[in-house]
Amino acid sequence: MGFDQLADAIVAQINGNTFSPAFVLQRADAPLFSMPELSQLVVTLIPQEITQETSTRGHDKIIYTVEIGFQRKAPPRPQSGEDPILRMTKEIRQLQQDVLNWLSHRSRRRPPNYANAMLMKLSMSPPFVADMLRDHRHYLGVLRLTYEETVRV
């Protein structure tokens, strides 16, 4: 088993649940989308890093890091009234927190299709990229997941 299998297992695990707002997690090597594609929420899993460390005399630890990006272009600013970017930002940040909380439950720390790896760390920092939001009205938030697998050497 390896990084590709783990990434596919995480995608299947998350897509097997229902979140609000609804989304389909896609796997990609680079999250490159056109602005029209980002008129709707796009959620992408990107494999980031793999590290192998000595654990014991006969075992190594393989540490996998993946990121889940949440992207959406904000609707145009209205002539008057509340800017929809505030509501959109709050909604997506809550969705990120919901996914993070759902994954952190003990029964979900091992993806069903890749039970050798265990989720060891979850982070959401920063909650979104402020410059992109301010300058381009483009929300980009990232969850970072770190899985660990012990292998015999």
Side-chain angles (χ1 to χ4, degrees):
M1 296 296 238
F3 212 177
D4 289 334
Q5 293 84 357
L6 175 60
D8 291 341
I10 296 166
V11 168
Q13 178 185 29
I14 291 174
N15 284 340
N17 190 49
T18 303
F19 294 97
S20 179
F23 67 90
V24 175
L25 179 61
Q26 305 167 23
R27 188 170 155 222
D29 292 322
L32 303 174
F33 300 97
S34 68
M35 283 302 152
E37 290 175 296
L38 294 175
S39 65
Q40 299 296 315
L41 178 64
V42 175
V43 184
T44 312
L45 181 135
I46 303 107
Q48 287 294 322
E49 180 180 24
I50 184 170
T51 306
Q52 189 162 344
E53 301 174 355
T54 301
S55 179
T56 65
R57 188 181 301 176
H59 295 89
D60 281 355
K61 284 192 303 188
I62 301 177
I63 301 164
Y64 304 96
T65 303
V66 300
E67 291 183 346
I68 299 176
F70 295 75
Q71 296 186 74
R72 181 161 183 214
K73 177 82 171 163
R77 182 173 290 146
Q79 294 293 335
S80 63
E82 183 182 14
D83 189 345
I85 201 167
L86 301 173
R87 185 171 26 87
M88 182 195 79
T89 300
K90 183 178 179 181
E91 183 178 273
I92 297 173
R93 286 183 68 186
Q94 182 60 54
L95 174 62
Q96 287 179 259
Q97 188 65 50
D98 291 347
V99 172
L100 189 130
N101 291 341
W102 185 81
L103 282 169
S104 68
H105 190 275
R106 183 172 290 288
S107 67
R108 296 184 193 99
R109 291 191 183 162
R110 291 187 189 271
N113 299 335
Y114 198 94
N116 295 339
M118 175 170 256
L119 180 62
M120 301 303 284
K121 184 177 176 184
L122 291 144
S123 63
M124 184 172 86
S125 175
F128 58 88
V129 179
D131 291 346
M132 290 182 72
L133 192 60
R134 181 188 62 242
D135 299 340
H136 304 288
R137 298 182 62 78
H138 177 186
Y139 182 98
L140 172 61
V142 177
L143 294 181
R144 181 176 277 251
L145 313 176
T146 304
Y147 288 81
E148 187 176 294
E149 177 180 14
T150 302
V151 294
R152 177 165 284 193
V153 290

